[in-house]
């Protein structure tokens, strides 16, 4: 068929269908001879006769490569699945099922096209991570030809053939978290860095040895896709101590193990996203990732329950009790976030600011479902949003526009993150702030289809519908544990919020994404340290901040911070870890007290970890069962009789040493019949029980039991001995905790004049 005989020449692929297969070799040979014989001629490759003329030689190999490409001809479904064999079962099963669906609907050609395209995408993603380099290491079987011999292990033969057939051969090291072979890889890389460092140290000048050795080890880090530690401190500031600490890290197998484990988690999830294992039915993360995260949480809880902490005074506490009393408890974390958001709203309303909600989404190239997807993961998309927000804040700072609020990062069903931001600004700055947000939100691919509809949404807060907290609280809740949202559906997935909330937490954990951030506010760590403060009355400035923190009043805390000027104080330990680095431990808070800078210790006690013995494990199991029984009984009651959340928390059985067997927790009686010092010795059990209320200082115990003085406990209450009985008066702050802040400050100032307490 000649192209000159038709007015509309057929496309190349359709022409290929009309070309007789048996004549293909003859046509190629005839064209090759004609190309060599004729120096120049405009030739139609589909014409029977070659027309003479002047032209340049044609690269026949390149022109005919789509037709006679032998590797493409040899590609079969069996060969494709053989290449995918080292990958996890979830990935292989998903690809095989989708391939079969394509074959059933479109034939072998459609199935092969899908399989070829999927392998291509998987290969691109696989080479974004350094594990394809591992196949050349000693502990991975090399693709050497092996004869079938009974003396050779069959597994070894299979591994060698697999390494030869598949580019994913090293993935078998990643099938399990913290696998032995991955630890071996970490040891080999650390050993390689050590060898490089030793060679540099032996040959280089002592003055530059650290920096040259750092460069050699950093080059290995960059080869493996790991950011070298202290890069700016060494390369920009030329700090020799930083280079030394960095070398100790880069030559440590444990450090390399943590880096490779982080890359392993991201790589496995990235491959699952490519084949479509993250979708509306399995949102945010794959089932494989969610199962691993759930197993991690279960293992961590078991370790917390089987570990005890004990201080120098003999106070024994299960580690899980201490952990659940802080922000590791999702309920406590949610309450703190809501309190902070409510404080921002109250401050904004008092100062005349207005609020609006901003939903910021990534361009289509970050979304897996888009044809423009560039095969990057959620971490890259999050970095894009961070950069956009940094530009927005820099532009506002340049214009001296105050900007407060909070943001929540949550995933789309395809794992791509998007932000919900609560913004508080003055009315005169509203238009400028919105214009800046729009400018940077549409800076990248702002004119692509769908950008105006989905990239950015700005919604004013309607006071008729509710306050700002009502707008942000649902995003806070459904990204922690979905508390207080029973029966609500997630708009992204259509599933109940309490079902998808754990998957959102697993998503943030796997991609190491910060979910919540407040900006333009005081330090929340100072707030937490004030709530830990157990000593007696402080100065009016510090006491006002403490009262606000203990009463969960963030607005009052912000105002009190302006007067107290509180900041964290750290206990610094030079060379405090195995890498020779300086370590910092929060010791307390420092601030203004009675016009002077003071230091308040909030973490004076030293605790040590130890494994729980059988008696302690049994005591905690009994306590858990009592708590479970209380939950069961309360759930079985009708709605009118059921305990409220606060009442249930107050009624919950607490841990105490009395739960332990007789040698630990037997009751004691004081042998003192008057306030005179008649005791000649103090039983160790008495010391333990006094420690439970915070009386641990030997001098205070002696004053209490021998001298007859009153002693203050950790909560500010007073203890004394009267008629052989231990008496207690609670801290009087509890009696005035409902006073307004200004009255509380004036009351505390009067205390300073009438009492003997000192700061």
């Amino acid at each position: 068929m000649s192209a000159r005989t038709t007015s509309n020449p057929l496309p190349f692929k359709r022409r290929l269908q009309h070309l007789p297969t048996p004549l293909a070799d003859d046509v190629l040979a005839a064209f090759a001879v004609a190309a060599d014989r004729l120096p120049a001629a405009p030739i139609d490759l589909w014409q029977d006769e070659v027309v003479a003329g002047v032209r340049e030689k044609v690269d026949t190999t390149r022109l005919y490569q789509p037709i006679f490409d032998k590797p493409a001809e040899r590609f079969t479904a069996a060969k494709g699945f053989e290449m995918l064999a080292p990958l996890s079962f979830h990935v292989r099963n998903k690809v095989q099922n989708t391939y079969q669906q394509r074959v059933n609907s479109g034939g072998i050609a459609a199935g092969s096209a899908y399989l070829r395209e999927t392998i291509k995408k998987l290969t691109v993603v696989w080479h974004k991570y350094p594990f394809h380099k591992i196949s050349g290491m000693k502990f991975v079987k090399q693709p050497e030809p092996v004869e079938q011999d009974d003396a050779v292990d069959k597994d070894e033969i299979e591994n060698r053939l697999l390494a030869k057939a598949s580019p994913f051969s090293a993935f078998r090291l990643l099938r399990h978290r913290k696998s032995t072979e991955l630890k071996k890889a970490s040891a080999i890389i650390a050993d390689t860095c050590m060898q490089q460092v030793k060679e540099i140290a032996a040959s280089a000048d002592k003055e530059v040895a650290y920096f040259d050795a750092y460069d050699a080890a950093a080059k290995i880090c960059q080869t493996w896709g790991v950011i070298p530690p202290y890069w700016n401190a060494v390369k920009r500031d030329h700090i020799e101590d930083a280079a030394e600490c960095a070398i100790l890290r880069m030559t440590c197998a444990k450090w390399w193990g943590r880096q490779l484990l982080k890359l392993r988690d991201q790589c496995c999830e990235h491959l699952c996203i490519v084949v479509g294992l993250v979708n509306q039915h399995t949102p945010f993360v794959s089932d494989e990732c969610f199962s691993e995260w759930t197993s991690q949480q279960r293992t961590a809880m078991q370790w917390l329950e089987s570990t005890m902490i004990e201080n120098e005074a003999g106070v024994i506490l299960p580690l899980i009790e201490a952990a659940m009393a802080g922000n590791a408890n999702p309920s406590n974390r949610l309450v703190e976030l809501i309190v902070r958001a409510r404080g921002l709203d109250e401050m904004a309303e008092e100062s005349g600011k207005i609020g609006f909600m901003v939903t910021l989404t990534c361009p289509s190239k970050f979304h897996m479902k888009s044809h423009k997807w560039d095969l990057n993961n959620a971490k890259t998309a999050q970095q894009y949003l961070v950069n956009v927000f940094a530009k927005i804040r820099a532009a506002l700072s340049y214009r001296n526009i105050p900007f407060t609020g909070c943001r929540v990062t949550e995933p789309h069903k395809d794992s791509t993150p998007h932000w919900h931001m609560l913004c508080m600004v003055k009315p005169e700055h509203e238009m400028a702030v919105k214009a800046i947000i729009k400018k940077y939100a549409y800076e990248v691919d702002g004119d692509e289809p769908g950008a105006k509809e989905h990239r950015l949404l700005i919604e004013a807060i309607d006071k008729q519908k509710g306050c700002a907290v009502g707008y942000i609280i649902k995003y806070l809740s459904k990204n922690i544990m979905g508390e207080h949202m029973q029966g609500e559906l997630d708009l992204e997935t259509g599933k109940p919020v309490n079902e998808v909330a754990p998957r959102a937490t697993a998503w943030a954990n796997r991609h190491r994404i910060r979910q919540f951030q407040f900006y333009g506010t005081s330090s929340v760590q100072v707030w937490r340290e004030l709530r830990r403060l157990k000593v007696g009355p402080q100065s009016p400035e510090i006491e006002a901040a403490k009262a606000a923190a203990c009463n969960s009043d963030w607005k009052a805390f912000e105002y009190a911070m302006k007067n107290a000027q509180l900041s964290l104080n750290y206990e610094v330990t030079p060379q405090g870890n195995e890498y020779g680095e300086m370590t910092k431990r929060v010791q307390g808070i420092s601030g203004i007290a009675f016009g002077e800078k003071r230091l308040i210790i909030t973490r004076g006690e030293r605790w040590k970890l130890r494994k729980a013995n059988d008696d302690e494990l049994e005591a905690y199991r009994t306590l858990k069962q009592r708590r479970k029984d209380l939950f069961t009984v309360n759930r079985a009651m009708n709605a009118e009789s059921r305990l409220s959340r606060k009442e249930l928390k107050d009624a919950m059985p607490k841990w105490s040493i009395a739960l332990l067997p007789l040698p630990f927790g037997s009751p004691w009686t004081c042998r003192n019949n008057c306030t005179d010092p008649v005791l000649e010795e103090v039983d160790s059990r008495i010391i333990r029980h006094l420690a439970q209320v915070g009386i641990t200082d030997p001098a205070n115990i002696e004053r209490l039991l021998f001298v007859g003085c009153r002693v203050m406990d950790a909560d500010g209450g007073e203890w004394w001995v009267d008629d052989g009985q231990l008496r207690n008066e609670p801290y009087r702050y509890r009696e005035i905790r409902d006073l307004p802040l200004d009255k509380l400050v004036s009351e505390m100032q009067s205390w300073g004049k009438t009492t003997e307490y000192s700061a």
Side-chain angles (χ1 to χ4, degrees), residues 67-85:
I67 308 175
F68 303 103
D69 188 7
K70 292 184 178 180
E73 288 182 346
R74 290 200 304 267
F75 181 84
T76 61
K79 183 68 67 175
F81 289 121
E82 183 181 356
M83 294 174 63
L84 299 178

Side-chain angles (χ1 to χ4, degrees), residues 611-628:
K611 186 175 179 59
N613 57 39
D614 294 339
D615 293 333
E616 292 165 342
L617 290 175
E618 182 61 30
Y620 187 74
R621 280 194 290 266
T622 303
L623 179 64
K624 280 183 63 178
Q625 186 60 43
R626 290 173 57 192
R627 292 173 174 175
K628 183 178 179 180

Side-chain angles (χ1 to χ4, degrees), residues 334-353:
L334 176 61
V335 170
E336 183 184 85
L337 291 171
I338 295 175
V339 167
R340 296 174 68 187
R342 185 189 64 189
L344 290 181
D345 186 27
E346 293 174 349
M347 293 173 61
E349 186 174 358
E350 186 175 296
S351 59
K353 292 183 178 181

